[in-house]
Amino acid sequence: PSFNAFFRLLPNRRVRIYFLKRDLPPAVVRNYFGNGQFVMPSPFELPADLLKMLGIDYYNILSGDYLVQEDHEYYILDVWTTLVW
């Protein structure tokens, strides 16, 4: 599935992804965010337009399990990468 998200480059070279809760169907919340872990089954390369906005040349999100944080509006993930400045 594909959903709108906001991205931010953190000082520790991670990318933080914000998913707006109100845009996610209940089944997606249950399957992808419900157990406190978001599973990225395979690596994912960020698109060129997003890389340009973040000011980096390359960012490949590594596969694995990522801790889900949340606040009143967002599900938040800090993801690991292979990063080139």
Side-chain angles (χ1 to χ4, degrees):
S2 175
F3 300 98
N4 291 329
F6 304 99
F7 292 78
R8 178 176 171 221
L9 184 63
L10 302 175
N12 65 359
R13 299 171 55 120
R14 281 186 164 192
V15 164
R16 181 167 287 166
I17 307 172
Y18 298 85
F19 293 92
L20 194 57
K21 288 180 175 181
R22 70 173 181 243
D23 289 347
L24 300 172
V28 169
V29 171
R30 190 173 44 256
N31 292 332
Y32 291 94
F33 300 94
N35 66 358
Q37 294 287 318
F38 183 90
V39 177
M40 180 74 67
S42 57
F44 177 77
E45 187 174 330
L46 295 181
D49 58 337
L50 181 56
L51 294 172
K52 185 175 181 177
M53 286 178 23
L54 293 171
I56 54 179
D57 294 325
Y58 177 79
Y59 200 102
N60 187 48
I61 297 172
L62 300 177
S63 60
D65 295 349
Y66 293 98
L67 177 67
V68 175
Q69 304 170 63
E70 64 178 293
D71 64 17
H72 63 284
E73 286 189 89
Y74 298 99
Y75 290 109
I76 304 162
L77 307 174
D78 290 351
V79 296
W80 287 108
T81 182
T82 51
L83 175 66
V84 177
W85 292 95

